[in-house]
Amino acid sequence: MAAIATSANPIEQSFELAAALCDDLTPLVYRRLHAERPETLTMFRTEGSDLVKGAMLSMTIEAILDYSGPRAGKFRMIECEISSHDAYGTPRELFITFFGVIARTLQDVVGDAWTPEMDAEWRKLQAEIEAMVAQAA
């Protein structure tokens, strides 16, 4: 049976479809991140890393959904994390990359259910995050 998205928001739709098809995006997102950016392998401590990765992805997803939807406040985490990641020594370009990794992972998971509207909204979101990062400089 095919998964059906109920939201009118294309970004929410992409997450709904992926949730119906995949129990946990965390290993998929980080496998892609580490493959595309091998330097990230050393950015996470060995012990407890899976919990940190899961929490980081969960907070990011909440911020993305709020940013692309009601903007009730959780989206501000993106701005806060720019500074936090600066303090960790994370290159800003890598910070931006993480959002694209999430989008590409979702696209892989949902496969043929990925729509041009989803693609357009994810591209728009990434451009807005790039602008947010540039303004934080």
Side-chain angles (χ1 to χ4, degrees), residues 24 34 39 42 67 72 80 90 95 103 115 131 133:
D24 186 4
H34 296 326
E39 72 272 24
T42 60
Y67 187 87
C80 294
T90 303
F95 180 86
T115 66
V133 169

Side-chain angles (χ1 to χ4, degrees), residues 53-70:
K53 290 175 178 177
M56 186 171 129
L57 181 59
S58 177
M59 289 187 335
T60 304
I61 290 170
E62 286 179 18
I64 289 169
L65 290 172
D66 188 46
Y67 187 87
S68 68

Side-chain angles (χ1 to χ4, degrees), residues 108-125:
D108 285 351
V109 169
V110 305
D112 291 340
W114 188 262
T115 66
E117 293 80 16
M118 288 176 195
D119 197 64
E121 285 301 311
W122 271 101
R123 289 180 190 278
K124 178 181 167 194
L125 174 82

Side-chain angles (χ1 to χ4, degrees), residues 27-110:
L28 302 176
V29 167
Y30 284 93
R31 188 175 310 129
R32 179 182 293 274
L33 178 66
H34 296 326
E36 291 183 13
R37 300 297 298 263
E39 72 272 24
T40 62
L41 284 166
T42 60
M43 295 179 146
F44 296 91
R45 64 180 189 230
T46 312
E47 195 171 312
S49 177
D50 289 342
L51 293 174
V52 171
K53 290 175 178 177
M56 186 171 129
L57 181 59
S58 177
M59 289 187 335
T60 304
I61 290 170
E62 286 179 18
I64 289 169
L65 290 172
D66 188 46
Y67 187 87
S68 68
R71 296 207 181 174
K74 289 186 180 185
F75 75 93
R76 296 191 190 287
M77 187 276 302
I78 298 168
E79 294 170 329
C80 294
E81 288 301 319
I82 294 167
S83 297
S84 293
H85 283 72
D86 282 349
Y88 297 141
T90 303
R92 287 190 169 191
E93 183 268 330
L94 180 56
F95 180 86
I96 295 165
T97 295
F98 189 61
F99 294 89
V101 165
I102 293 169
R104 289 187 299 281
T105 302
L106 290 169
Q107 185 175 10
D108 285 351
V109 169
V110 305

